Amino acid sequence: NAGVTQTPKFRVLKTGQSMTLLCAQDMNHEYMYWYRQDPGMGLRLIHYSVGEGTTAKGEVPDGYNVSRLKKQNFLLGLESAAPSQTSVYFCASSYPQGLPQVTEAFFGQGTRLTVV
Amino acid sequence: AQKITQTQPGMFVQEKEAVTLDCTYDTSDPSYGLFWYKQPSSGEMIFLIYQGSYDQQNATEGRYSLNFQKARKSANLVISASQLGDSAMYFCAMREGLYGSARQLTFGSGTQLTVLP
């Protein structure tokens, strides 16, 4: 059971380049999230999804787009990378809150992105 | 306004002693869940403990317990008998709403705990 898998683990981009981060989960979770982690800032929510085909903005959505075409995948796109987007990106997934199943979010291992 | 506030950027504790990490939250939703995660220096996020807003008793998981004071909107993590391996960043998080109305999972800024030998 792989859990939550992020691809790639590391990436260096030049300013203005685009890229897509892939998050895949095999736990049949409804909810998926993308966070960025910066020193002293904790985890800040970029976008999230409460089901296939639905997405919503989080705290810091500017400069990012997402898609949830399949329940198990949640893609994070950077159309024109900027140095301010240098960060560690985490994907997470969970069951909906209130169901009998455990509701904690399971995290991927993170993607370290550097924009130069 | 901050939904999750962790006021202790760094904490030190002597090995084998207990330590309390503070977390206060802000919500007007009667239905919510509170979570604590540990992030060691290796970077992964490890779930520790969960408390639902309707849970009558404080959650416990091994050496971890959650001191849930609903009226004060606080959900402090207590680690008993600290071990060197407990040195890590600790995050408090909250998700408001229940199934069908749930919203984002929001994290605090974290507390860096260092256990001293």
Side-chain angles (χ1 to χ4, degrees), chain A residues 40-110:
Chain A
M41 304 288 288
L43 279 80
R44 293 183 293 168
L45 184 65
I46 305 171
H47 286 279
Y48 65 105
S49 168
V50 298
E52 182 179 317
T54 70
T55 62
K57 293 180 180 180
E59 180 186 357
V60 288
D62 294 343
Y64 304 95
N65 57 74
V66 288
S67 64
R68 183 103 181 264
L69 299 180
K70 293 183 178 180
K71 185 177 183 178
Q72 63 268 34
N73 295 336
F74 195 29
L75 278 64
L76 177 70
L78 286 73
E79 289 188 348
S80 180
S84 60
Q85 295 178 303
T86 293
S87 187
V88 179
Y89 291 84
F90 283 97
C91 175
S93 71
S94 74
Y95 283 116
Q97 190 155 292
L99 296 187
Q101 300 97 323
V102 292
T103 58
E104 76 269 26
F106 292 79
F107 281 79
Q109 73 275 39

Side-chain angles (χ1 to χ4, degrees), chain B residues 5-37:
Chain B
T5 303
Q6 295 180 254
T7 58
Q8 306 153 314
M11 289 278 289
F12 292 89
V13 65
Q14 209 67 38
E15 194 178 8
K16 299 180 185 177
E17 291 186 349
V19 62
T20 298
L21 306 183
D22 294 341
C23 173
T24 58
Y25 59 93
D26 181 28
T27 181
S28 57
D29 196 319
S31 304
Y32 54 89
L34 296 158
F35 306 80
W36 276 93
Y37 283 83

